[in-house]
Amino acid sequence: MATVLPPPSKRQRTAIAEKAHQQQSVDTIPNDLGSVRVHFFDQSTGQATGAPVAIPVADATVKNLELLLNTLQGNDASERVPYRFSFGADGQVVDIVNDIYRALLKPGIRTTEDTISLHYTPQAIFRVRSVSRCSASIPGHGEAILATSFASSSSSRLVSGSGDNNARIFDTDTGTPFHTLKGHTSWVLVASWSPDDTTVATGSMDNTVRIWDPKSGQSLGQPLKGHTKWITSLAWEPYHLRQSPTAQRLASSSKDSTVRIWDVITKRIDLVLSGHKSSVSCVRWGGTGTIYTASHDKTIKLWDSTKGTMISTLTAHAHWVNHLALSTDFVLRTAYHDHTGSIPATDDQKIAKAKQRFETAATINNTLTERLVTASDDCTIYLWSSPTSFPPSSSSTTNTAIKPLARLLGHQKQVNHVTFSPSGTLIASSSFDNHIKLWNASTGAFLFTLRGHVGAVYMSCFSPDSRLLVSASKDTTLKVWDAGTGKLREDLPGHRDEVFAVDWSPDGKGVGSGGKDKMVRVWRH
C-alpha cells in the first residue's frame, strides 16, 4: 500500500503562497531607460564624495553602488566597506533597499533627468550570524529572572538579577554558574556591567545599590544607601568622561522620584537630582556629560552631571514615560571594546579610543548630536535631538525648550521598551499590543511592523551589526527578526513561561534570556 503524504501544514502553505507571489511580482528593470546621474554625500559630514557619476539605470543596484563608492574612495578590494544608501528630499527619506529604479524612478519621486543625491552611512564590516539554538539552559535561581546583561567585552560572562534576592554571574561558554552575588534582601530588579568590565552593579527592591567584583563574586564594600524606595534603573558614567582611569561614578534612579550619582570607590553620594514629581523609570548617562531621566510625571529631564543642575525639561507625553534610549548607548556601553577584540595597552589610549568611538557614532553633519527616544503609556513614542555642541555646564542652556523631532504613532497599547540600533540608524519599539515596530532613527519614519508574537512584547535588542533584532515576549518565545526586511528569521521556543529579559552580547556571539521559568538560557548559532 502506497504511503499517503500528510497535507501541508499552515506554515508550509503560507510559505508556498508567499514564494508564488514573489515569483509573480518580480518585475525586471527596463533596459531602455538609459543612465541616471548619482552624487554621493557622507551622512555624518554632509560633504560630497567625488563628482556626479552617470550610471545605467539597469545597473543601479545597491551592490553596484557600494562598489562604485568604494572605488571613488580609493578602497582596495580587501578594504571594501558595506554601505546603506538613502535619498532625502521634501521632508521624506527613502531607503534604497534593492535599486534606484524601484525606490525612486518607478514611484515617480525622481526621473532620469535629475541628479540624484544619495546619502551613505557605513554598515558594520563584520556580520553577526543569527542565533538558532539553545546552547545552555542554566538553573540556579529560585524565582523569576528580571534582568540579564552580558559583559561589555565578550559573551563569556552574563549577570542576571532575580526575585530570589540574588544576582548570579554565569560562564556562558560552559553553561555553568560562576558566582552567586548574595547580599540584597529583596528582588534584584536591575544589573549592569561597568564599561571596562571591572565591576558589576545591581539595584534592588530593598532600596540599595550594591557593587560587586565579577572575578571573586564578593561585594565591594557596603551597599549604597540613600534611596527611600526601590531602584528602577542604573547608568554608568561613560569611560571617556572619567576624571581618572580608576574613578567610577554610577547613576541610579528610583521609585522615590530622585536620581542619585554615586562615587563607586568611596561609596558616597556625589549628587542628588531631585525635580521629578513621581517615580523615575529610566536613567541614561550621555557621552557629553548630560544625564537623561524619564519619569511617571510625564516628563523627561536633562541634567548637568558635574553640577547636578537641570538643563531642560521635555514635555510632550500624556502619560507615564516608561523607557528612554540614546543613539550612542551601544558605544557607551562597550567603551574601548570593539569587534576586533584588540584592547589598548595604556589607560590614556583606552580613554582616547572610547572617546573616538563615541564621537564617530554621535557626529551628524559635523555636529555632536545625541538623539533620544522615549516610550510612554500613552501609546506614543517621541524622537528628540539633543544638540551637544554646547558644553553641558553652559548656563545659557538652562531651561532651554527642546521640541521633538517626530511623534511616532502606530502602537495600540502601552509602549514598554525602545532601543536604538548600534549603528544609530534604526529604532525598535516593543509594546503590549504584541508587536514590535521599526522606525527610521533620523526622521522617525515608520518602516515595519514585526508580527508574530501572541503575547505582550517586553523588550527587544539589536545585534551588534544592526542587521538582526531579538525580542522577548509573554508568549514564552524569543524571535529573531531581519531588521532590513522586517521578516522573521528564527523562532526560538524553549522557555516554559514568560520571558522578561533578553540581551545580545556586544561581540555578537550569543543571546542571553531569562524569565518566569527561573532558567537562564543562552542561544547561539
Side-chain angles (χ1 to χ4, degrees):
M1 181 178 175
T3 303
V4 179
L5 291 174
S9 65
K10 183 178 179 182
R11 180 176 293 180
Q12 290 172 326
R13 293 198 304 271
T14 304
I16 292 169
E18 186 174 344
K19 187 175 181 180
H21 177 71
Q22 287 176 349
Q23 289 173 343
Q24 290 172 1
S25 62
V26 169
D27 50 341
T28 57
I29 303 174
N31 292 319
D32 57 352
L33 291 179
S35 298
V36 63
R37 289 165 60 85
V38 174
H39 201 182
F40 295 106
F41 290 86
D42 189 333
Q43 179 76 42
S44 61
T45 65
Q47 295 179 349
T49 302
V53 181
I55 55 177
V57 174
D59 295 332
T61 61
V62 169
K63 194 170 183 180
N64 289 337
L65 291 173
E66 275 183 6
L67 189 62
L68 176 60
L69 180 56
N70 277 282
T71 304
L72 289 173
Q73 293 175 329
N75 296 336
D76 295 333
S78 59
E79 299 174 345
R80 282 181 186 158
V81 178
Y83 287 101
R84 182 191 188 102
F85 297 97
S86 62
F87 172 80
D90 304 326
Q92 65 173 340
V93 176
V94 179
D95 283 328
I96 312 300
V97 179
N98 297 310
D99 51 63
I100 289 178
Y101 173 73
R102 292 186 181 87
L104 301 176
L105 302 181
K106 189 179 179 183
I109 299 172
R110 282 293 181 268
T111 69
T112 53
E113 301 295 324
D114 300 317
T115 298
I116 297 176
S117 300
L118 291 184
H119 294 269
Y120 63 87
T121 51
Q123 291 186 296
I125 299 171
F126 63 100
R127 186 175 287 272
V128 172
R129 295 189 297 180
S130 174
V131 295
S132 56
R133 62 186 176 89
C134 181
S135 66
S137 185
I138 316 171
H141 281 297
E143 287 295 336
I145 293 160
L146 307 173
T148 57
S149 179
F150 275 102
S152 305
S153 60
S154 74
S155 59
S156 298
R157 292 285 185 271
L158 175 77
V159 66
S160 62
S162 169
D164 62 5
N165 306 350
N166 296 328
R168 286 176 178 262
I169 296 177
F170 296 95
D171 184 334
T172 57
D173 293 335
T174 60
T176 55
F178 193 59
H179 290 300
T180 301
L181 313 181
K182 295 182 178 179
H184 286 295
T185 57
S186 189
W187 299 359
V188 180
L189 300 176
V190 284
S192 177
W193 292 80
S194 63
D196 59 0
D197 269 3
T198 57
T199 46
V200 170
T202 55
S204 169
M205 278 192 77
D206 63 10
N207 308 346
T208 67
V209 176
R210 284 182 177 266
I211 310 298
W212 311 85
D213 179 356
K215 294 182 178 178
S216 66
Q218 298 299 311
S219 177
L220 297 175
Q222 295 298 311
L224 309 182
K225 295 182 178 178
H227 286 295
T228 57
K229 291 186 179 179
W230 64 81
I231 313 300
T232 57
S233 179
L234 297 172
W236 288 92
E237 181 180 29
Y239 189 82
H240 64 274
L241 295 181
R242 290 184 179 181
Q243 301 297 324
S244 71
T246 56
Q248 290 182 311
R249 292 202 296 167
L250 176 72
S252 61
S253 63
S254 170
K255 175 80 171 173
D256 65 8
S257 310
T258 68
V259 174
R260 292 174 187 264
I261 300 175
W262 310 86
D263 186 318
V264 172
I265 306 301
T266 62
K267 305 294 186 292
R268 292 180 179 176
I269 299 173
D270 263 4
L271 298 167
V272 178
L273 311 181
S274 55
H276 283 295
K277 298 176 182 177
S278 188
S279 170
V280 183
S281 55
C282 192
V283 60
R284 287 287 187 273
W285 201 320
T288 57
T290 305
I291 292 176
Y292 305 82
T293 57
S295 170
H296 285 183
D297 65 7
K298 301 184 279 189
T299 67
I300 304 98
K301 292 183 184 292
L302 280 62
W303 311 82
D304 180 348
S305 62
T306 55
K307 294 181 178 179
T309 54
M310 188 173 69
I311 298 172
S312 185
T313 300
L314 313 183
T315 55
H317 286 293
H319 211 302
W320 295 351
V321 185
N322 295 322
H323 197 249
L324 65 85
L326 297 177
S327 57
T328 54
D329 274 343
F330 182 78
V331 291
L332 296 179
R333 170 188 176 181
T334 53
Y336 52 82
H337 303 104
D338 60 15
H339 68 281
T340 62
S342 60
I343 296 177
T346 66
D347 290 331
D348 289 341
Q349 290 173 343
K350 289 178 180 177
I351 291 174
K353 183 175 179 180
K355 186 175 182 180
Q356 181 265 327
R357 293 187 73 223
F358 163 73
E359 290 176 347
T360 301
T363 300
I364 301 174
N365 294 330
N366 286 329
T367 306
L368 274 181
T369 305
E370 284 186 311
R371 289 191 301 278
L372 172 73
V373 65
T374 55
S376 170
D377 264 18
D378 64 8
C379 310
T380 69
I381 303 155
Y382 278 97
L383 176 65
W384 314 79
S385 178
S386 173
T388 49
S389 52
F390 54 79
S393 58
S394 171
S395 59
S396 64
T397 62
T398 305
N399 294 326
T400 301
I402 300 176
K403 294 183 179 180
L405 289 177
R407 187 184 187 202
L408 283 52
L409 299 172
H411 282 295
Q412 302 301 310
K413 290 186 179 179
Q414 300 97 316
V415 187
N416 191 54
H417 186 272
V418 282
T419 181
F420 276 92
S421 64
S423 64
T425 56
L426 297 172
I427 296 169
S429 57
S430 308
S431 169
F432 282 16
D433 64 7
N434 306 354
H435 298 152
I436 307 108
K437 291 183 183 291
L438 288 181
W439 316 81
N440 183 302
S442 300
T443 62
F446 168 75
L447 298 176
F448 306 109
T449 296
L450 311 182
R451 293 185 174 90
H453 284 296
V454 293
V457 184
Y458 291 133
M459 68 177 296
S460 56
C461 184
F462 279 97
S463 63
D465 65 353
S466 304
R467 293 184 175 99
L468 301 170
L469 179 78
V470 63
S471 56
S473 170
K474 184 178 180 178
D475 66 8
T476 77
T477 69
L478 297 171
K479 295 188 190 296
V480 180
W481 311 85
D482 187 318
T485 63
K487 298 292 181 66
L488 180 68
R489 284 285 290 271
E490 301 285 348
D491 194 359
L492 303 176
H495 282 285
R496 297 176 183 175
D497 213 326
E498 302 178 30
V499 188
F500 293 139
V502 66
D503 190 28
W504 206 311
S505 66
D507 63 5
K509 294 180 180 177
V511 168
S513 62
K516 209 169 178 179
D517 62 0
K518 310 173 191 175
M519 302 285 278
V520 168
R521 296 182 189 270
V522 181
W523 310 82
R524 297 190 186 277
H525 179 72

